[in-house]
């Protein structure tokens, strides 16, 4: 049975381990293996997304760094093709998918990219359709059987267009067709508020730059409160162990 929040075990059924897969998935948007190791150790990271710019920033060899990431994170790891033509995308995507079982082939939202997406979808290879900036594009990606659609909200905000509005539009469209299994992966996130607002809408997944994920932990009253608790505890002269 489902582990969703409303499900109760029936007679003879055992209470399942709480799997929080009904909560928003958090991916980290980086190819920096040290950041990935550090943040994955929190247990809060469900996957990783990369793109050619992030690979270039890492200074590492693409295939090598992707392989290493899949060894650190067991969840979905997006690796992007760089060919612009269908045949090249399929060839590159197959090579990437062979690196590990948790590879998600990332494809650009172009006619060739969506054609390749359909091919991979028919073969059972996971896909992430990237560079989505409109609901019409998201509709096409779902039609092509994308596993994830990545609307880039920060880049829309940069142009004074409401990125989060695009997320709510896509969620509304997808929810009108319950058979759509494409997950909305909120991308180009720039602040904790982006993540919070997308979670309020029930977005499936967000990919988060490491600095933004770290910022989500922080509140000055948490630091201040902890400091006061520790100072008072010190005065008691006690220790728990
Ligand atoms: O996942 C997409 C993301 O990498 C793009 O982010 O900050 O370059 O717009 P940004």
């Amino acid at each position: 049975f489902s582990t969703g929040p409303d499900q109760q075990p029936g007679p003879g059924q055992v209470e399942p381990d709480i799997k929080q897969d009904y909560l928003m998935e958090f991916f980290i948007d980086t190819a920096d293996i040290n950041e990935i190791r550090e943040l994955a150790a929190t247990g809060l990271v469900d996957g990783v997304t990369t793109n050619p710019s992030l690979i270039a920033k890492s200074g590492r060899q693409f295939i090598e760094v992707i392989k290493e990431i899949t060894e650190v994170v067991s969840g979905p790891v997006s690796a992007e093709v760089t060919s612009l033509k269908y045949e090249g995308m399929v060839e590159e995507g197959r090579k990437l998918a062979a690196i590990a079982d948790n590879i998600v082939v990332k494809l650009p939202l172009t006619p060739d990219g969506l054609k390749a997406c359909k091919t991979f979808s028919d073969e059972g290879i996971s896909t992430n359709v990237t560079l989505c900036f409109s609901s019409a594009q998201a509709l096409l990606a779902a039609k092509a059987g994308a596993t994830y659609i990545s609307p880039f909200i920060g880049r829309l905000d940069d142009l004074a267009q409401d990125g989060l509005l695009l997320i709510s539009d896509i969620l509304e469209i997808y929810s009108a067709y319950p058979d759509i299994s494409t997950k909305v992966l909120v991308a180009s996130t720039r602040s904790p508020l982006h993540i919070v607002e997308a979670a309020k809408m029930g977005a499936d997944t967000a990919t988060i730059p490491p600095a933004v994920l770290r910022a989500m932990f922080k509140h000055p009253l948490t630091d201040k409160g902890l400091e006061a608790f520790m100072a008072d505890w010190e005065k008691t002269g006690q220790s728990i162990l």
Side-chain angles (χ1 to χ4, degrees):
F1 49 86
S2 154
T3 56
D6 298 322
Q7 301 291 320
Q8 296 298 324
Q13 289 181 318
V14 177
E15 182 83 43
D17 284 348
I18 296 183
K19 289 199 181 63
Q20 298 191 317
D21 53 2
Y22 52 86
L23 290 180
M24 189 185 217
E25 289 179 301
F26 285 171
F27 292 175
I28 40 176
D29 197 27
T30 182
D32 181 331
I33 195 73
N34 294 325
E35 289 275 34
I36 293 168
R37 277 187 206 287
E38 203 172 299
L39 290 167
T42 64
L44 301 175
V45 171
D46 301 302
V48 175
T49 52
T50 64
N51 61 39
S53 303
L54 293 171
I55 296 294
K57 194 170 163 200
S58 78
R60 301 269 315 268
Q61 204 273 336
F62 181 32
I63 303 290
E64 191 185 286
V65 73
I66 290 292
K67 187 165 177 7
E68 206 173 329
I69 295 171
T70 60
E71 285 159 5
V72 175
V73 175
S74 60
V77 174
S78 287
E80 188 162 341
V81 301
T82 53
S83 174
L84 299 178
K85 292 278 169 229
Y86 167 78
E87 291 76 13
M89 287 176 178
V90 169
E91 204 177 338
E92 289 179 1
R94 291 215 172 98
K95 178 170 175 180
L96 295 173
I99 295 174
D101 288 345
N102 54 332
I103 287 288
V104 175
V105 177
K106 203 169 177 187
L107 299 154
L109 207 153
T110 60
D112 285 71
L114 291 187
K115 189 176 167 190
C117 178
K118 181 79 176 66
T119 298
F120 288 131
S121 159
D122 290 345
E123 291 176 8
I125 292 175
S126 300
T127 52
N128 174 359
V129 174
T130 188
L131 291 165
C132 170
F133 294 94
S134 78
S135 304
Q137 291 179 318
L139 203 45
L140 292 173
K143 195 88 179 161
T147 313
Y148 292 97
I149 179 68
S150 288
F152 276 29
I153 64 170
R155 293 190 192 185
L156 282 172
D157 288 358
D158 292 344
L159 299 182
Q161 292 182 29
D162 188 345
L164 283 162
L165 185 60
L166 174 61
I167 300 301
S168 86
D169 283 349
I170 297 171
L171 288 169
E172 184 184 339
I173 293 169
Y174 284 8
S175 70
Y177 297 93
D179 284 345
I180 291 180
S181 59
T182 303
K183 289 183 170 182
V184 178
L185 195 175
V186 183
S188 182
T189 57
R190 303 272 168 84
S191 69
L193 194 57
H194 271 156
I195 314 304
V196 169
E197 291 300 323
K200 282 192 202 167
M201 296 172 194
D204 305 280
T205 311
T207 189
I208 311 173
V212 174
L213 183 57
R214 288 205 173 84
M216 288 174 70
F217 285 87
K218 299 297 285 180
H219 196 289
L221 291 180
T222 305
D223 296 342
K224 194 174 167 210
L226 189 58
E227 205 177 303
F229 285 160
M230 291 306 102
D232 289 341
W233 177 248
E234 183 87 8
K235 286 181 215 152
T236 70
Q238 299 180 47
S239 75
I240 296 174
L241 298 177

